[in-house]
Amino acid sequence: MKSSQGEPTTYDHGGGVRSLRVPIPDNPLGHTLVYVVDTDRGPVLIDTGWDDPASWEALTAGLTGCGTSVSELYGVVITHHHPDHHGLSGQVREASGAWVAMHAADTSIVRRTRETRPERWYTYMAAKLTAAGAPEEHIAPLRTPPARRRPFPGLAPALPDREIVPGEFLDLPGRRLRAIWTPGHTPGHVCLHLEEDHPARLPGHGRLFSGDHLLPEITPHIGLYEDPDDATVTDPLGDYLDSLERVGRLAPAEILPAHQYAFTDAPFRVRELLTHHEDRLTGLLALLASPLTPWQLAERMEWNRPWPQIPYGSRNIAVSEAEAHLRRLVKQGRAEAVTGSDPVTYVAV
């Protein structure tokens, strides 16, 4: 089955596993790869895609192209709570009666998102950005009257029915799909290890549905775990690096990621990413020769475009990533907060 541009929208990976390209509106990633895994009780989806009519149309058409339909689905396994992965889960469940499973840490985020009024999020974000040293002109839009604001995506995500328990097999009759907890990109991100022989007999241990944890060319965003009601100082980048090593030790024959394309040699890709983050941390220490706020550090970091060209929302994400790197450096004893600075600045030690 092909898209209107002639690109294939479904792909058969063999062994009862296929993927569907579900578009992400106005996003350079282009699409989410949603996987369809055959089981003795019917197909199970791994992720569902963005909550958008065009995405829903692509998902349903893709299922038809695979010889099945939404109504035949048995379950939905979510790698993490982000809207390009979990967005359509509620609609899928309503149309099929399928269960939806997610790790408890991300289920907590989903529950909090549903229960927290949007105004609370805007107030929280304004406070966070102020503390990070953002200029007033960047913070001001968060204080505009609610009626004039664009709503955040994914403010009413579906609450899962089931919990993904790390180390345990999921309820896929006739298949061996084990959950591997890989926090970092989100606190409850999971990879899913299909512990079955590779259909093409590639060397290695089964196949790994890697979500956003391990991608062939992209380094996933590692920001802060945001919770307006929890002041715990987390270390998402440290979590991510530990999780990478865990996946590398699995040595799967093939990686089936949520974006881009399937690839092999997970240990090599893991080493690339570990090296990338260590190089980046070392580079940030050079920037921190003089005290900088998280905002000032983000302005000076290397991104995929110059800082003045980065859109408003992406700047918020960049500052969160800068803070995650700062927390890692502080935890390693390579940087520290400057006593008495307001907003807080950090310096290399």
Side-chain angles (χ1 to χ4, degrees), residues 284-293 296-297 300 338 345-348:
L284 296 188
L285 287 175
L287 295 175
L288 293 169
S290 300
L292 296 174
T293 65
Q296 291 168 332
L297 182 62
R300 291 160 174 77
V338 176
T345 58
Y346 295 82
V347 66

Side-chain angles (χ1 to χ4, degrees), residues 14-17 37-40 169-170 172-177 194 196 207:
V17 176
V37 181
D38 292 339
T39 82
D40 292 345
F169 287 116
L170 283 91
L172 273 68
R175 310 305 298 252
R176 293 173 57 84
L177 188 69
L194 191 60
E196 302 170 9
R207 292 183 279 182

Side-chain angles (χ1 to χ4, degrees), residues 13-15 194-207 251-254 264:
H13 297 270
L194 191 60
E195 297 182 359
E196 302 170 9
D197 290 340
H198 191 281
R201 303 298 179 186
L202 296 180
H205 305 291
R207 292 183 279 182
E254 188 176 26
T264 58

Side-chain angles (χ1 to χ4, degrees), residues 31-242:
H31 59 270
T32 301
L33 292 173
V34 172
Y35 292 92
V36 185
V37 181
D38 292 339
T39 82
D40 292 345
R41 293 283 297 277
V44 169
L45 295 186
I46 296 178
D47 292 334
T48 57
W50 192 275
D51 184 6
D52 179 82
S55 304
W56 175 254
E57 183 179 351
L59 177 65
T60 55
L63 288 169
T64 299
C66 290
T68 185
S69 66
V70 173
S71 63
E72 295 180 41
L73 294 174
Y74 173 61
V76 176
V77 183
I78 300 299
T79 60
H80 61 295
H81 73 87
H82 286 164
D84 57 323
H85 297 257
H86 182 47
L88 285 172
S89 299
Q91 197 166 347
V92 167
R93 180 169 58 195
E94 184 176 343
S96 64
W99 47 261
V100 177
M102 182 183 288
H103 187 281
D106 272 20
T107 298
S108 294
I109 295 173
V110 168
R111 184 173 290 108
R112 185 169 65 244
T113 300
R114 291 171 60 90
E115 294 173 356
T116 303
R117 295 176 61 249
E119 187 63 30
R120 177 76 174 95
W121 284 112
Y122 285 106
T123 301
Y124 170 74
M125 286 181 61
K128 288 284 291 183
L129 287 164
T130 299
E136 176 57 30
E137 60 266 25
H138 185 87
I139 301 169
L142 297 170
R143 302 193 180 107
T144 58
R148 295 169 55 190
R149 295 180 183 145
R150 288 184 62 185
F152 287 147
L155 279 178
L159 270 174
D161 312 290
R162 299 187 180 186
E163 179 180 339
I164 295 176
V165 180
E168 293 189 1
F169 287 116
L170 283 91
D171 178 21
L172 273 68
R175 310 305 298 252
R176 293 173 57 84
L177 188 69
R178 191 185 301 274
I180 311 296
W181 184 33
T182 51
H185 185 57
T186 72
H189 191 290
V190 292
C191 293
L192 302 154
H193 192 198
L194 191 60
E195 297 182 359
E196 302 170 9
D197 290 340
H198 191 281
R201 303 298 179 186
L202 296 180
H205 305 291
R207 292 183 279 182
L208 188 76
F209 300 99
S210 65
D212 282 359
H213 183 68
L214 196 62
L215 302 169
E217 297 176 357
I218 299 170
T219 303
H221 165 67
I222 309 297
L224 301 184
Y225 302 151
E226 304 288 11
D227 183 347
D229 302 311
D230 187 350
T232 303
V233 179
T234 57
D235 179 19
L237 182 54
D239 292 343
Y240 178 67
L241 298 176
D242 290 345

